[in-house]
Amino acid sequence: MKIGLLSDTHSFLDDAVFRHFENCDEKWHAGDFGNIELADKLAAFKPLRGVYGNIDGQEIRQTYPEDLRFDCEGMDVWMTHIGGYPDKYHPRVKRIIYTKPPQLFITGHSHILKVIFDKKINCLHLNPGAAGKQGWQTVRTLMRFDITEEKIQNLQVIELNK
């Protein structure tokens, strides 16, 4: 399964996203879409899984959950917008992540691209950074990767500013 991962678009969708994700089977959005039109445009392009973020309004919140936990190619995946990261998990997810850890934990919110393996719970944490223009980040980023037989492979970071 080829995955395109983005977050924090904040109502701005760079046309380059479609080019970078054209060979992906699914797109995953880790929250702060900004508006339902952006989400609909992504969903019309390729299958979309997403969660709402703190800036998302009622239309997004009625369509996408706060937490999405699912199986992808045998891998237990948990996606939420505000989740923290290893050793600094958000209080809302901390108990769950330590008692029933996923294999892949995806968050957004910070606008900081992160790839961290949490050895304590044997879980890979991904934050794709921010794909939108809102925020303090100087480089807009996406991720692309494959999930095969419960393994992440071919992880790529894509910079949109170039």
Side-chain angles (χ1 to χ4, degrees), residues 33-107:
F33 287 93
N35 60 53
I36 195 70
E37 293 79 17
L38 184 144
D40 289 346
K41 193 172 181 182
L42 282 171
F45 173 60
K46 297 269 182 165
L48 174 66
R49 295 181 196 247
V51 294
Y52 72 76
N54 56 297
I55 66 127
D56 290 321
Q58 283 305 98
E59 282 187 294
I60 297 285
R61 290 171 188 246
Q62 290 172 350
T63 307
Y64 299 95
E66 181 176 19
D67 294 299
L68 188 59
R69 192 140 184 187
F70 58 96
D71 176 275
C72 181
E73 299 293 314
M75 180 171 276
D76 180 10
V77 180
W78 182 6
M79 183 165 48
T80 193
H81 184 62
I82 301 175
Y85 51 93
D87 293 326
K88 297 200 189 267
Y89 291 114
H90 189 274
R92 187 182 71 77
V93 303
K94 193 173 192 173
R95 181 185 58 77
I96 299 165
I97 205 160
Y98 283 124
T99 57
K100 190 176 181 218
Q103 292 165 285
L104 177 60
F105 185 57
I106 297 171
T107 63

Side-chain angles (χ1 to χ4, degrees), residues 14 19-20 34 46 50 61 72 81 83 88 92 102 109-111 120 128 145:
D14 193 315
R19 186 177 74 252
H20 290 297
K46 297 269 182 165
R61 290 171 188 246
C72 181
H81 184 62
K88 297 200 189 267
R92 187 182 71 77
H109 187 62
S110 70
H111 293 219
K120 292 177 188 171
F145 57 91

Side-chain angles (χ1 to χ4, degrees):
M1 177 78 68
K2 294 181 181 305
I3 307 300
L5 177 62
L6 72 164
S7 184
D8 294 278
T9 45
H10 291 261
S11 301
F12 175 78
L13 186 57
D14 193 315
D15 287 337
V17 169
F18 298 102
R19 186 177 74 252
H20 290 297
F21 289 174
E22 67 186 347
N23 293 323
C24 293
D25 299 306
E26 291 185 352
K27 295 171 310 311
W28 297 352
H29 195 296
D32 279 0
F33 287 93
N35 60 53
I36 195 70
E37 293 79 17
L38 184 144
D40 289 346
K41 193 172 181 182
L42 282 171
F45 173 60
K46 297 269 182 165
L48 174 66
R49 295 181 196 247
V51 294
Y52 72 76
N54 56 297
I55 66 127
D56 290 321
Q58 283 305 98
E59 282 187 294
I60 297 285
R61 290 171 188 246
Q62 290 172 350
T63 307
Y64 299 95
E66 181 176 19
D67 294 299
L68 188 59
R69 192 140 184 187
F70 58 96
D71 176 275
C72 181
E73 299 293 314
M75 180 171 276
D76 180 10
V77 180
W78 182 6
M79 183 165 48
T80 193
H81 184 62
I82 301 175
Y85 51 93
D87 293 326
K88 297 200 189 267
Y89 291 114
H90 189 274
R92 187 182 71 77
V93 303
K94 193 173 192 173
R95 181 185 58 77
I96 299 165
I97 205 160
Y98 283 124
T99 57
K100 190 176 181 218
Q103 292 165 285
L104 177 60
F105 185 57
I106 297 171
T107 63
H109 187 62
S110 70
H111 293 219
I112 300 170
L113 186 137
K114 291 187 182 193
V115 177
I116 305 171
F117 187 74
D118 188 340
K119 294 178 195 170
K120 292 177 188 171
I121 58 172
N122 199 32
C123 172
L124 180 62
H125 166 72
L126 298 179
N127 183 323
K133 291 183 174 181
Q134 184 80 20
W136 56 269
Q137 74 279 355
T138 57
V139 178
R140 295 178 298 114
T141 54
L142 313 167
M143 288 181 174
R144 197 170 47 201
F145 57 91
D146 302 337
I147 298 179
T148 308
E149 298 175 2
E150 297 184 46
K151 292 182 183 149
I152 301 285
Q153 298 176 325
N154 305 318
L155 177 63
Q156 297 173 306
V157 171
I158 299 161
E159 294 183 358
L160 293 173
N161 298 54
K162 292 188 172 193

